[in-house]
Amino acid sequence: MGWAAAMAAVAAVICAAAVARGEVVNEFGGGASFIFGDSLVDAGNNNYIPSLSKANMTPNGIDFAASGGMPTGRFTNGRTIADIIGEMLGQADYSPPFLAPNTTGGAILNGVNYASGGAGILNATGKIFVNRIGMDLQVDYFNITRKQLDDLLGRDRAKEFLRRKAIFSVTVGSNDFLNNYLMPVLSTGTRISESPDSFLNDLIFHLRDQLTRLYTLDARKFVVANVGPLGCIPYQKTINRVGEDECVKLPNQLAAQYNARLRELLIELNGNLPGARFCLANVYDLVMELIINYPNYGFQTASVACCGNGGSYDGLVPCGPTTSMCDARDKHVFWDPYHPSEAANVLLAKYIVDGDSKYISPMNLRKLFSL
C-alpha cells in the first residue's frame, strides 16, 4: 500500500470513529426521560394490563396531536406533563410505554415510561383497580431496560448515557392517599390501625428504597414531584360537597405533611448518594396557584371537570364515551375528576423546566439537564 493510500485508510478509520462518536452524541443529544409514577404521567401502560384504571377510550386524547386526537391511554385531553417536559428539553420523541410491544431497540434511547394509572409507592395502593404497576414493579421493569441499554450501547456507553443525558422523573404518591389511606371501603382497616405519621413513615421508607435502587442502576438526575392539593380535585370537592372556592381540608393536610417529609428525604439523598442530583418539583404550590388565580392564566374554572359527570363539579363519573364534555377544553384547569387538562400541564411544565426555586429546587430542569 502506498503512502497516500495508507494515509487515506487512516483518515477513513478516524472518520468512522468520529461518525460513531457523533452517533453517540446524537443519541445523547436530545436526552432521555425515564418516567415513573401514576396516571398523571401514564402514557398507555395500563392498555396492556387487565385494569379498571384505563384511559384508552374517547374523548381522552382528543387534543393529542401525535395520535390524531385518538386515545392513547393518557389520562388527559392531550399531552401529559412528562410529555411536555420531554419536548421542552429537546427529546426527539415521547418516552414510549414500557409494556408497548415496539418499546425495544433504538426506541428506548428516548427513555421509557413505566407509569401506571392507579399506582402508588405502596404495593397495596390501588387495589380497587384490580391491576396496576406499583413503584416497586416499575423499578423492576427499569432493571430490564437497563440490561437492554447495555446490549444496545455497551456497558460503558450505557452508563455514560444514563448518568449524563437521562432524567428520571417520579410522579407518585397521590394514589397512596386517594386510593388507599383515604378510601372509605378498602382501607378502613389501614386507617384505624395506622396513624397518619405511621403511614407517612411507611411511604418515605419505601420511596427511599425505590429511589436508591434507581441510583444503583446508574440514575443520577432525578426530578421528584410532591403530591398536589388532593382536596381541590373535582372528585374530592364533589363527594365532600364543598363550595366552589373551597377545598377539602384532610386530603390537603395529609399531602402537605407528606410533602414536608419528601423534601427532607431528597435533601438526605442529595447528601448521601455521591453524584446524584434530586430536584423537588413543588406541584402542590404550583397547582394551588393555578386554582386560586385561575383567571390570570386564562382559565374559566378551576373546580369543574371538563369531562365527567355527577354533582356540582362533574366529579363523580370518570371521563368516557358516555360522559359530557365541555366545549372550551383549554379553559378548564381539570380535564376530568382527577387529572389536569393539557392547558394546565403546559403551565406546570414551564415552571418545572425554567422556573425558580419556589416551584423547583435546588435547580430547574433546564439546569439539571445541562449538567
Side-chain angles (χ1 to χ4, degrees):
M1 184 188 282
W3 181 84
M7 286 295 96
V10 170
V13 170
I14 292 169
C15 182
V19 168
R21 275 200 308 275
E23 283 173 6
V24 176
V25 169
N26 287 339
E27 286 166 5
F28 290 4
S33 297
F34 292 91
I35 297 158
F36 302 82
D38 54 32
S39 56
L40 292 167
V41 289
D42 187 348
N45 280 308
N46 280 20
N47 299 350
Y48 302 95
I49 60 174
S51 174
L52 298 177
S53 178
K54 284 184 186 281
N56 59 343
M57 74 287 284
T58 58
N60 292 296
I62 191 169
D63 298 307
F64 190 63
S67 68
M70 297 304 292
T72 60
R74 287 168 169 82
F75 290 75
T76 183
N77 58 309
R79 295 163 296 166
T80 68
I81 188 168
D83 293 329
I84 298 160
I85 287 171
E87 276 180 9
M88 291 180 72
L89 293 176
Q91 201 174 308
D93 205 350
Y94 301 124
S95 303
F98 175 80
L99 292 180
N102 55 352
T103 304
T104 55
I108 69 176
L109 294 174
N110 278 309
V112 177
N113 187 316
Y114 307 88
S116 168
I121 295 167
L122 303 180
N123 291 323
T125 290
K127 272 184 187 168
I128 190 171
F129 303 118
V130 184
N131 274 316
R132 67 278 170 226
I133 308 158
M135 268 299 288
D136 279 343
L137 188 51
Q138 290 183 35
V139 178
D140 290 345
Y141 283 168
F142 174 69
N143 198 12
I144 295 171
T145 303
R146 182 71 192 79
K147 293 184 176 81
Q148 292 171 337
L149 286 167
D150 276 351
D151 294 342
L152 203 61
L153 298 173
R155 187 167 291 179
D156 291 343
R157 281 166 76 207
K159 186 177 282 194
E160 185 193 3
F161 170 66
L162 288 169
R163 293 184 175 197
R164 281 185 50 213
K165 285 295 182 181
I167 285 184
F168 289 75
S169 80
V170 179
T171 307
V172 75
S174 299
N175 287 312
D176 293 290
F177 297 104
L178 289 173
N179 294 304
N180 188 338
Y181 197 73
L182 290 166
M183 275 234 83
V185 185
L186 285 179
S187 52
T188 37
T190 306
R191 228 192 309 176
I192 291 163
S193 65
E194 201 167 6
S195 69
D197 278 349
S198 169
F199 186 72
L200 294 176
N201 287 343
D202 222 6
L203 290 180
I204 296 297
F205 175 83
H206 282 87
L207 185 61
R208 179 190 288 110
D209 180 60
Q210 290 152 0
L211 295 174
T212 305
R213 282 176 65 204
L214 288 173
Y215 174 84
T216 63
L217 294 168
D218 292 311
R220 288 297 180 271
K221 300 179 182 184
F222 294 84
V223 55
V224 183
N226 66 14
V227 169
L230 303 174
C232 304
I233 65 175
Y235 167 72
Q236 282 289 329
K237 289 182 65 148
T238 300
I239 65 168
N240 289 284
R241 300 183 178 182
V242 298
E244 189 167 357
D245 296 330
E246 293 177 273
C247 294
V248 187
K249 288 194 175 76
L250 178 61
N252 280 5
Q253 284 169 356
L254 288 169
Q257 285 174 270
Y258 166 77
N259 291 345
R261 296 288 304 276
L262 176 65
R263 181 180 287 276
E264 290 169 5
L265 172 65
L266 298 188
I267 291 168
E268 171 198 316
L269 294 176
N270 273 328
N272 291 351
L273 300 178
R277 302 290 183 108
F278 287 87
C279 292
L280 174 65
N282 185 3
V283 171
Y284 186 99
D285 284 347
L286 252 179
V287 174
M288 273 311 259
E289 168 63 20
L290 284 192
I291 287 169
I292 293 166
N293 296 311
Y294 66 89
N296 299 353
Y297 298 93
F299 294 104
Q300 291 170 355
T301 176
S303 53
V304 180
C306 171
C307 184
N309 279 124
S312 309
Y313 310 110
D314 289 332
L316 287 180
V317 182
C319 184
T322 59
T323 51
S324 59
M325 182 178 70
C326 70
D327 294 327
R329 296 185 291 273
D330 61 344
K331 302 297 183 191
H332 283 244
V333 171
F334 289 97
W335 162 243
D336 67 9
Y338 296 91
H339 306 99
S341 64
E342 183 185 64
N345 282 335
V346 166
L347 282 165
L348 299 176
K350 280 181 181 169
Y351 281 103
I352 291 168
V353 173
D354 289 314
D356 62 26
S357 60
K358 182 177 181 186
Y359 296 127
I360 177 82
S361 59
M363 68 188 76
N364 64 35
L365 288 209
R366 182 93 53 202
K367 175 82 191 296
L368 179 69
F369 184 62
S370 71
L371 292 177

